[in-house]
């Protein structure tokens, strides 16, 4: 079988001449060169994966369990296609990365939310799992270099490590921004700074393999923090773009960059091991910088047109800044809101407005209407999680549990008016108790 090297003007590429079917020994590298464009796509794909999963689970209403099954099935299908290829194919590779991002996040959420495992424990567990993957990988292959992903077994180790890094990145990122109350704005600075320090260490002579995998783990919480910065309301410290707009913006940037990668791969073949990016470093930096700048400019521009609260509840929140059990419709003056002495959750009035509407429908025995309206509470609460949870994780979890109780009571196959009223009264009491500025 004849092999030929195709020399590009700036960088080398490898292609394989037609002939007999390829065997595993004929595999070319199955992963992209580590370039500036690679890191930009990686960070953007992290946010896309998380926001899309939340959209399916909450906005579409599939729920966590159904979403988990769908995403896992899609990941398995994408990996089957990826393993069937014999060289790096940009569109399928990055599809796998997005799906691995989703499943890795869901894996951590399952441990934390469903099993109640502490973020400290899950972070430690995934660290150990990743270490085991690397140890077994090295003992079998005597290398961890991603420039050597050219056999089925090495690729299996690679994707196992990728999945674990996403789970570890999710756990460690949540630990930093939620359990340690750092918040997503500090998260952007901290994780961005750590990645910069990793790059400096690499330039100073630290091992390329070590610095790559450290940076790969850190891009997961950085991407999540950037996504939260764009999606959260302005009163929570974000830019108020919302999950849908942020996802579309990031997806457009990914689509352009991956399309360029695919064009280059089709034109020149696969980058040879250890070679620089096709088209040269200057073009690579230019495309990566342009994509990052476009996302930043468009994001800040759209943020200027957004208010701090969803339009559907803005007027209601202004007219009724605090809803109290037994005061609905009474016409009594609302006391001046003050800073809460024991929690920093802040203004919870927009959630109380929705709960008040649901209570009114339940009182009228309009359980179908209450079930429809409580969906707004679920979406609003989920959207605000990244901003509220770091302020007071304990009290956030208390409210989250009570909201789940209200949702369960209204969504059961045969809802009872008394059960719905009871769970809503408890929830409203807690909202009023924790409400402040």
């Amino acid at each position: 079988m004849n092999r030929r090297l195709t020399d590009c003007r700036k960088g080398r590429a490898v292609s394989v001449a037609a002939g007999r079917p390829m065997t595993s020994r004929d595999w070319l590298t199955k992963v992209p060169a580590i370039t500036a464009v690679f890191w930009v796509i990686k960070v953007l794909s992290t946010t896309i994966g998380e926001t899309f999963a939340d959209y399916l689970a909450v906005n579409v209403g599939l729920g966590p369990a159904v979403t988990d099954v769908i995403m896992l099935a899609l990941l398995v299908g994408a990996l089957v296609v990826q393993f069937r290829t014999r060289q790096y194919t940009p569109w399928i590779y990055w599809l796998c990365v997005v799906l691995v991002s989703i499943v890795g996040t869901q894996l951590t959420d399952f441990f934390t939310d469903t099993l109640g495992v502490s973020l400290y424990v899950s972070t430690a567990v995934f660290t150990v799992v990743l270490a085991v993957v690397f140890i077994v990988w090295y003992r079998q292959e005597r290398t961890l270099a991603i420039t050597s992903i050219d056999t089925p077994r090495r690729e299996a180790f690679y994707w196992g490590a990728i999945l674990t890094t996403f789970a570890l990145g999710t756990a460690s990122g949540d630990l930093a921004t939620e359990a340690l109350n750092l918040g997503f704005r500090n998260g952007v600075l901290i994780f961005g700074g750590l990645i910069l320090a990793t790059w400096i260490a690499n330039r100073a002579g630290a091992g390329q393999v070590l610095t790559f995998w450290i940076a790969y783990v850190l891009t997961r919480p950085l991407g999540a923090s950037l996504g939260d910065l764009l999606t959260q309301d302005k009163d929570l410290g974000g830019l108020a773009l919302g999950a849908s707009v942020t996802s579309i913006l990031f997806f457009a940037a990914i689509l352009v960059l991956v399309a360029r990668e695919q064009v280059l791969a089709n034109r020149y073949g696969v980058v040879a091991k250890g070679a620089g990016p096709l088209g040269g470093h200057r073009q690579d930096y230019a495309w990566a910088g342009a994509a990052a700048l476009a996302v930043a400019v468009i994001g800040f521009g759209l943020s200027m047109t957004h208010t701090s609260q969803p339009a559907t509840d803005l007027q209601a929140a202004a007219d009724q800044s605090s809803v109290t059990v037994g005061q609905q419709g009474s016409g009594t003056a609302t006391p001046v809101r003050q800073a809460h002495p024991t929690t920093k959750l802040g203004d919870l009035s927009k959630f109380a407005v929705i709960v008040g509407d649901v209570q009114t429908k339940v009182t009228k025995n309009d359980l179908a209407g209450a079930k429809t309206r409580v969906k707004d509470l679920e979406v609003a609460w989920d959207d605000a999680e990244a901003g509220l949870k770091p302020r007071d994780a304990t009290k956030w979890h208390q409210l989250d549990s009570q909201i789940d109780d209200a949702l369960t009571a209204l969504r059961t196959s045969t809802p009872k008016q008394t059960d719905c009223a009871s769970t809503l009264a408890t929830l409203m009491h807690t909202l009023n108790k924790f409400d402040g500025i």
Side-chain angles (χ1 to χ4, degrees):
M1 179 177 182
N2 295 323
R3 292 180 180 272
R4 59 185 174 86
L5 291 177
T6 303
D7 292 328
C8 301
R9 297 174 67 180
K10 295 180 181 179
R12 294 178 299 151
V14 178
S15 59
V16 182
R20 63 175 175 80
M22 289 184 178
T23 67
S24 62
R25 291 184 178 182
D26 299 322
W27 277 24
L28 303 177
T29 183
K30 298 292 297 293
V31 300
I34 307 307
T35 63
V37 167
F38 171 90
W39 290 115
V40 170
I41 300 176
K42 169 62 170 64
V43 172
L44 296 178
S45 64
T46 295
T47 303
I48 284 287
E50 186 168 10
T51 55
F52 184 67
D54 288 343
Y55 178 79
L56 291 179
V58 179
N59 297 73
V60 177
L62 297 180
V66 175
T67 302
D68 290 353
V69 172
I70 292 175
M71 291 299 103
L72 183 59
L74 289 175
L75 174 59
V76 171
L79 286 176
V80 168
V81 177
Q82 168 69 16
F83 272 81
R84 285 177 178 270
T85 64
R86 289 294 185 264
Q87 63 185 39
Y88 168 57
T89 306
W91 74 268
I92 184 60
Y93 173 86
W94 287 110
L95 175 61
C96 289
V97 169
V98 171
L99 293 172
V100 167
S101 171
I102 297 173
V103 174
T105 300
Q106 291 172 325
L107 184 62
T108 299
D109 290 344
F110 175 76
F111 272 87
T112 304
D113 299 334
T114 304
L115 301 183
V117 177
S118 165
L119 286 171
Y120 292 94
V121 175
S122 59
T123 299
V125 168
F126 288 128
T127 299
V128 172
V129 171
L130 183 60
V132 170
V133 171
F134 284 148
I135 290 171
V136 176
W137 182 356
Y138 187 79
R139 285 185 174 179
Q140 292 288 328
E141 303 294 333
R142 311 309 299 177
T143 180
L144 298 178
I146 65 166
T147 54
S148 300
I149 309 302
D150 51 11
T151 68
R153 187 165 66 181
R154 288 181 178 180
E155 186 173 17
F157 281 125
Y158 174 81
W159 286 109
I162 293 296
L163 177 60
T164 310
T165 60
F166 272 108
L168 174 59
T170 302
S172 60
D174 289 349
L175 176 64
T177 59
E178 296 174 9
L180 301 180
N181 298 326
L182 296 180
F184 54 84
R185 287 189 295 181
N186 289 332
V188 172
L189 298 176
I190 292 171
F191 293 116
L194 289 173
I195 290 175
L196 177 60
T198 304
W199 177 80
I200 293 173
N202 175 261
R203 300 293 293 181
Q208 291 184 346
V209 172
L210 176 63
T211 53
F212 169 81
W213 286 110
I214 291 175
Y216 205 96
V217 171
L218 292 172
T219 52
R220 169 59 184 82
L222 174 63
S225 296
L226 284 172
D228 291 338
L229 179 64
L230 269 67
T231 59
Q232 292 299 293
D233 283 345
K234 292 181 180 179
D235 58 347
L236 297 177
L239 298 181
L241 296 188
S244 298
V245 174
T246 300
S247 296
I248 293 172
L249 178 60
F250 280 26
F251 179 74
I254 292 173
L255 191 62
V256 170
L257 293 177
V258 172
R260 174 181 177 268
E261 291 286 294
Q262 190 65 59
V263 169
L264 291 175
N266 292 341
R267 181 178 300 172
Y268 299 119
V270 179
V271 174
K273 297 178 183 180
L278 291 172
H281 289 285
R282 182 174 298 179
Q283 287 192 25
D284 175 55
Y285 292 143
W287 278 89
L293 181 62
V295 168
V297 171
I298 295 173
F300 279 106
L302 292 174
S303 176
M304 300 295 291
T305 67
H306 283 69
T307 56
S308 61
Q309 292 185 1
T312 54
D313 289 327
L314 184 59
Q315 186 60 46
D319 295 339
Q320 187 178 0
S321 61
S322 179
V323 180
T324 342
V325 179
Q327 288 184 338
Q328 299 174 44
S330 64
T332 56
T334 301
V336 178
R337 55 183 339 101
Q338 299 176 348
H340 199 283
T342 62
T343 180
K344 296 181 179 179
L345 285 176
D347 185 2
L348 303 176
S349 62
K350 65 181 179 182
F351 308 113
V353 168
I354 302 174
V355 174
D357 290 347
V358 177
Q359 282 184 308
T360 300
K361 294 181 182 297
V362 169
T363 300
K364 296 177 180 179
N365 204 28
D366 180 13
L367 300 185
K371 179 180 178 181
T372 300
R373 178 59 170 147
V374 84
K375 176 70 175 179
D376 297 331
L377 175 65
E378 180 184 27
V379 173
W381 184 252
D382 182 76
D383 288 344
E385 176 180 351
L388 290 177
K389 194 173 182 181
R391 294 181 175 183
D392 191 331
T394 300
K395 291 182 172 58
W396 182 90
H397 279 292
Q398 182 178 343
L399 278 169
D400 187 60
S401 177
Q402 293 179 4
I403 289 174
D404 286 342
D405 291 341
L407 293 173
T408 301
L410 283 165
R411 290 174 175 174
T412 186
S413 57
T414 55
K416 297 181 180 179
Q417 184 181 21
T418 54
D419 293 342
C420 295
S422 176
T423 57
L424 290 168
T426 300
L427 173 59
M428 181 65 84
H429 173 76
T430 306
L431 283 170
N432 289 325
K433 180 180 178 182
F434 292 161
D435 186 47
I437 58 175

